[in-house]
Amino acid sequence: MPLASASTFPSQNTQHIEALAAQGIQRRYRRGALLIQEGETGDTLYIVLQGRLRAYVADASGRELTLGLYGPLEYVGEMSLDGGPRSANVEAAETSTCSVVTRERLLAYIAEHPEFAFELMARLIRRARLATESARSVALIDVYGRLVKLLNGWALAPQDDDGARPLRERLTHQQIAQHLACSREMVSRLLKDLENGGYIAVRERRIWLLKNLPARW
């Protein structure tokens, strides 16, 4: 799994999420709108109905690390439902519509459907594991190694006879830098080197992996 993966955790059974979302208040957010601010106290859960949210942390210099991207029927904000401060920032990565559910409504729903508590707990465990993996990667793997891990994790199956693999989404250099906890300039330099070496190509603003990336650069 790539560092700060954009992979989300789709539920195998969305029945509970859909039912809970129906009990919340729908709100629309423009791209870039901040829904949750790290450190603040909150008691609401945000269930994505349309669009996508980005969870991230930032340091005093403004450098950001993306923790995850969450699409329809994914939710954010559950980490602070114990009454503690928010552990990360969450913004709308694109124009999004969410169902905003209060802590009281969530607890009432769990009381009515106790099996949902196990689903919620499993989601928390998976997110904790991803956070551990991200921390390990930042601490123990250099920037190039993290880039290789991210590109391989986002690559789709080969799309032509030569085995070229496109990334599943178009990513800007800034977005990649936010996933790797490094500067945009560093990402641009590494990608340019890989392109010059014939390892990647950019087609219609999408990165393609032309052959296996070298373990070291």
Side-chain angles (χ1 to χ4, degrees), residues 202-217:
V202 179
R203 303 171 183 171
E204 297 180 346
R205 296 184 299 158
R206 190 186 300 272
I207 296 173
W208 286 67
L209 308 188
L210 304 182
K211 54 186 177 181
N212 291 335
L213 303 176
R216 297 185 180 276
W217 191 258

Side-chain angles (χ1 to χ4, degrees), residues 186-206:
M186 173 68 77
V187 169
S188 297
R189 180 174 64 80
L190 289 173
L191 290 178
K192 189 63 175 178
D193 287 347
L194 288 173
E195 188 173 6
N196 290 338
Y199 291 97
I200 68 171
V202 179
R203 303 171 183 171
E204 297 180 346
R205 296 184 299 158
R206 190 186 300 272

Side-chain angles (χ1 to χ4, degrees), residues 143-152 176 180 190-191 194:
V143 174
Y144 175 74
R146 302 202 299 270
L147 176 62
V148 168
K149 194 174 183 182
L150 183 143
L151 294 178
N152 283 327
I176 294 175
L180 303 182
L190 289 173
L191 290 178
L194 288 173

Side-chain angles (χ1 to χ4, degrees), residues 1-7 64-69 130-154 168 171 175-182:
M1 184 172 290
L3 172 69
S5 171
S7 299
E64 298 178 358
L65 173 62
T66 296
L67 302 176
L69 296 171
L130 177 59
T132 300
E133 176 63 20
S134 295
R136 180 186 296 114
S137 296
V138 170
L140 302 179
I141 304 176
D142 63 16
V143 174
Y144 175 74
R146 302 202 299 270
L147 176 62
V148 168
K149 194 174 183 182
L150 183 143
L151 294 178
N152 283 327
W154 276 63
R168 63 175 180 261
L171 288 175
Q175 288 171 325
I176 294 175
Q178 290 169 347
H179 281 288
L180 303 182
C182 69

Side-chain angles (χ1 to χ4, degrees), residues 6-28:
S7 299
T8 52
F9 306 108
S11 175
Q12 294 181 352
N13 184 353
T14 61
Q15 177 182 358
H16 286 303
I17 298 300
E18 292 173 344
L20 186 59
Q23 299 182 26
I25 298 175
Q26 286 195 23
R27 291 180 181 169
R28 185 175 174 84

Side-chain angles (χ1 to χ4, degrees), residues 68-163:
L69 296 171
Y70 305 98
L73 297 184
E74 290 280 272
Y75 51 85
V76 297
E78 77 282 2
M79 294 292 288
S80 70
L81 292 177
D82 63 350
R86 300 287 194 181
S87 59
N89 303 294
V90 175
E91 69 172 6
E94 56 193 63
T95 300
S96 303
T97 301
C98 297
S99 174
V100 183
V101 180
T102 64
R103 179 176 184 271
E104 289 73 19
R105 182 61 259 169
L106 174 61
L107 294 178
Y109 186 86
I110 292 174
E112 297 165 2
H113 306 277
E115 67 276 11
F116 179 60
F118 293 99
E119 183 178 326
L120 184 64
M121 183 171 61
R123 183 72 61 93
L124 288 170
I125 291 171
R126 290 196 294 270
R127 287 186 177 175
R129 285 176 175 164
L130 177 59
T132 300
E133 176 63 20
S134 295
R136 180 186 296 114
S137 296
V138 170
L140 302 179
I141 304 176
D142 63 16
V143 174
Y144 175 74
R146 302 202 299 270
L147 176 62
V148 168
K149 194 174 183 182
L150 183 143
L151 294 178
N152 283 327
W154 276 63
L156 298 173
Q159 301 291 305
D160 57 29
D161 294 337
D162 294 328

